[in-house]
Amino acid sequence: DEDTSLENAGYADVLNHNLFGIHMKEQNDALSETNPHVCIGWSAMGDLSGIESKEKLAEAYDNYFQKNNRAKGQDVGQIWRFINDIQIGDYIIYADDAVFHIGRIESGYYYDNSENPEQSADYTNTRKVVWLKKNLSRSILSSNLHNSLKTAMSIWSLSDYKSAVVDLLNVTVLVKQNCNSTVQSN
């Protein structure tokens, strides 16, 4: 089982891949057992699978959104990052209110506009994920990583924090064990 071997290797595999952060502020079921995934909006543009360059993406963007060059550039950069830069095997932190979740990307980009009452209709741009750790408190993060999760962007690089994520993936188990032993001793 790949997840077990990843765990046994101390998650050092994170260091060989890119690390991204994602915000999904609209309703979603990204953490569901049946369909673990990450997603971004901009669904008005439809399926982006055929887009081969940032220039083509920018042209498609102009058909649906009217924003100033700076805002457009940020949006196009984020969409491109999601559909193109993220690779299978890369890692992602889903920053969600007071908690965060760490996952590994398991699929290329795909467009999913299937009916899902649990998720905002704007979240059609999707990638499958295996969630390695869920519902970790942001309070355990270094202030730098915590602040990096506060960005207004939907998807951004966190590759500077790969070694911190290895530590978080490894340490979390110890933290849980310590909590349990404390609970038992009371």
Side-chain angles (χ1 to χ4, degrees):
D1 181 44
E2 195 181 332
D3 286 340
T4 315
S5 66
L6 186 67
E7 229 169 292
N8 293 343
Y11 294 103
D13 180 59
V14 173
L15 302 174
N16 302 323
H17 294 277
N18 287 312
L19 173 65
F20 295 91
I22 192 165
H23 285 139
M24 296 178 280
K25 292 188 161 105
E26 304 290 319
Q27 182 184 3
N28 68 79
D29 66 344
L31 299 171
S32 74
E33 297 297 320
T34 51
N35 182 26
H37 65 281
V38 288
C39 48
I40 58 168
W42 295 285
S43 66
M45 296 171 67
D47 189 344
L48 303 172
S49 301
I51 306 266
E52 291 158 15
S53 69
K54 254 189 193 171
E55 293 70 33
K56 294 275 186 227
L57 181 60
E59 288 170 21
Y61 181 93
D62 286 337
N63 294 329
Y64 299 95
F65 303 100
Q66 278 69 52
K67 290 193 178 177
N68 67 44
N69 282 344
R70 186 172 173 271
K72 172 187 166 179
Q74 281 187 336
D75 284 359
V76 168
Q78 291 177 87
I79 300 164
W80 183 256
R81 193 171 300 132
F82 189 83
I83 65 173
N84 195 69
D85 293 348
I86 297 177
Q87 301 296 312
I88 295 171
D90 283 347
Y91 290 80
I92 195 151
I93 294 179
Y94 167 22
D96 184 18
D97 294 328
V99 297
F100 67 99
H101 321 279
I102 303 173
R104 188 178 65 241
I105 302 292
E106 293 292 302
S107 79
Y109 161 83
Y110 64 99
Y111 181 75
D112 180 2
N113 64 348
S114 54
E115 282 291 310
N116 183 350
E118 305 296 314
Q119 185 156 291
S120 162
D122 192 34
Y123 282 152
T124 55
N125 297 303
T126 313
R127 283 171 170 273
K128 293 257 180 250
V129 167
V130 168
W131 293 112
L132 302 169
K133 303 283 177 188
K134 293 185 195 174
N135 298 308
L136 301 174
S137 170
R138 285 206 196 189
S139 66
I140 67 171
L141 295 172
S142 70
S143 57
N144 285 348
L145 180 48
H146 180 68
N147 289 336
S148 293
L149 296 180
K150 291 180 179 177
T151 177
M153 286 194 271
S154 296
I155 182 92
W156 67 99
S157 174
L158 282 172
S159 286
D160 290 350
Y161 296 99
K162 290 194 277 194
S163 59
V165 167
V166 172
D167 292 344
L168 288 165
L169 288 168
N170 286 318
V171 167
T172 306
V173 177
L174 300 174
V175 172
K176 283 182 185 164
Q177 288 168 346
N178 291 344
C179 290
N180 290 344
S181 61
T182 311
V183 170
Q184 289 161 356
S185 65
N186 287 346

